[in-house]
Amino acid sequence: MGEVDPAFIQELEHRPKLSIIEAEGIPFIDLSMLNSPDAVSDPSTLDSLVSEIGNACKNWGFFQVINHGVPLEQRRKLEKASRKFFAQPWEEKVKVRRDEVKVLGYYDTEHTKNVRDWKEVFDFTVQNPTIVPASTHPDDKEVAEWHNQWPDYPHELREAFEEYAEELEKLSNKLMELIALSLGLPADRFHGFFKDQTSFIRLNHYSPCPAPDLALGVGRHKDAGALTILAQDDVGGLQVKRKSDGEWIRVKPTPDAFIINVGDIIQVWSNETYESVEHRVMVNSERERFSIPFFFNPAHYTIVMPSEELTSEKNPPRYRPYNWGKFLITRKGSNFKKLDVKNIQIQHFRISELADHLDGALSVI
Ligand SMILES: O=C(O)CCC(=O)C(=O)O
Ligand SMILES: [Fe+2]
């Protein structure tokens, strides 16, 4: 395979099998009851929706939603604008390139676990500007602003983005309510964390790849935020690591559905009742693919920790509290240092089982 830069080539164990297992089991959840004006709050219908959400989060960490209330028109408008943007020559796209100072915009050299992804992206934050810590230093309280870059072409991209972001924010809040209820918490338990959200939307473009058996569109990873809402086109390529057997399963494209996945923050908030699940993107040699994830992230000053209501002496907190903004900018920073930098992970805040055992042993003595 002479055509592919070695930077894109996955290690043997992480290369995708070209024979695909398509998921039967990833749940479909119908949200129509949340959006119908005459949905007289029938507690039993709500209860069954909440338990469907809870089971999907527990068993898969992924589910698809239909009748979600996001107008199709808004989604199509952004999808079209995204296609127009990426169809331009590279020289045009790099005019709004992301770098260490301007952290939002166009980017085509992203690495996941130190292997280059076969994709190009455009990042925008929902709040403009978005407030984040100025430095990774734990004692530094200074803040900085992230500003969106808007390309000249297509001119409708900005409006399409803003309308879509507003709709997706509404859907995210509804999903967070259902997730809170499924954990036995009040519906609004997590709302406050998103007041000064650091959410962002990414436009992804995966070109046809001459070596889909060696490279990945996005290498295996977990999403670091609270919740991801993904719009994928009809090409397919997203794979989820099935919890029951570790097999990579393709998420079948369903027109106009959204794919939802639990991120690391929900894993921590729920004290591992729900887990953030590994996923990756396969590319193919024939068709380009587009997708748009919405990453629903809390305010930078959020201290992420297991919810007190969900921990007890028998089920102690499994994570030490961490500052979301510092975590986020540490991640962003390491994207630019590229090879041989290990990304910060929630695993670094996990209270290790070994320590639990030792503590237990010590307290007995
Ligand atoms: O393109 C996709 O299907 C998923 C992309 C993804 O997982 C991500 O950007 O975090
Ligand atoms: Fe992801």
Side-chain angles (χ1 to χ4, degrees), residues 220-234:
R220 69 192 197 287
H221 69 282
K222 297 176 180 180
D223 293 343
L227 197 70
T228 306
I229 302 188
L230 177 84
Q232 69 164 340
D233 67 12
D234 62 338

Side-chain angles (χ1 to χ4, degrees), residues 56-113:
C57 289
K58 210 180 207 126
N59 301 331
W60 285 91
F62 266 82
F63 53 97
Q64 303 209 50
V65 292
I66 50 173
N67 299 321
H68 40 66
V70 175
L72 191 53
E73 189 195 333
Q74 257 75 53
R75 174 165 168 179
R76 288 284 175 273
K77 199 163 151 183
L78 186 58
E79 285 172 343
K80 267 197 188 152
S82 164
R83 282 174 185 265
K84 281 189 182 172
F85 174 78
F86 287 120
Q88 297 179 101
W90 186 77
E91 294 70 28
E92 287 302 313
K93 294 186 273 195
V94 292
K95 287 182 182 162
V96 280
R97 186 187 223 156
R98 174 179 124 184
D99 60 31
E100 230 155 319
V101 182
K102 291 180 280 182
V103 297
L104 305 168
Y106 174 76
Y107 199 57
D108 65 351
T109 53
E110 193 157 76
H111 291 67
T112 304
K113 309 229 175 357

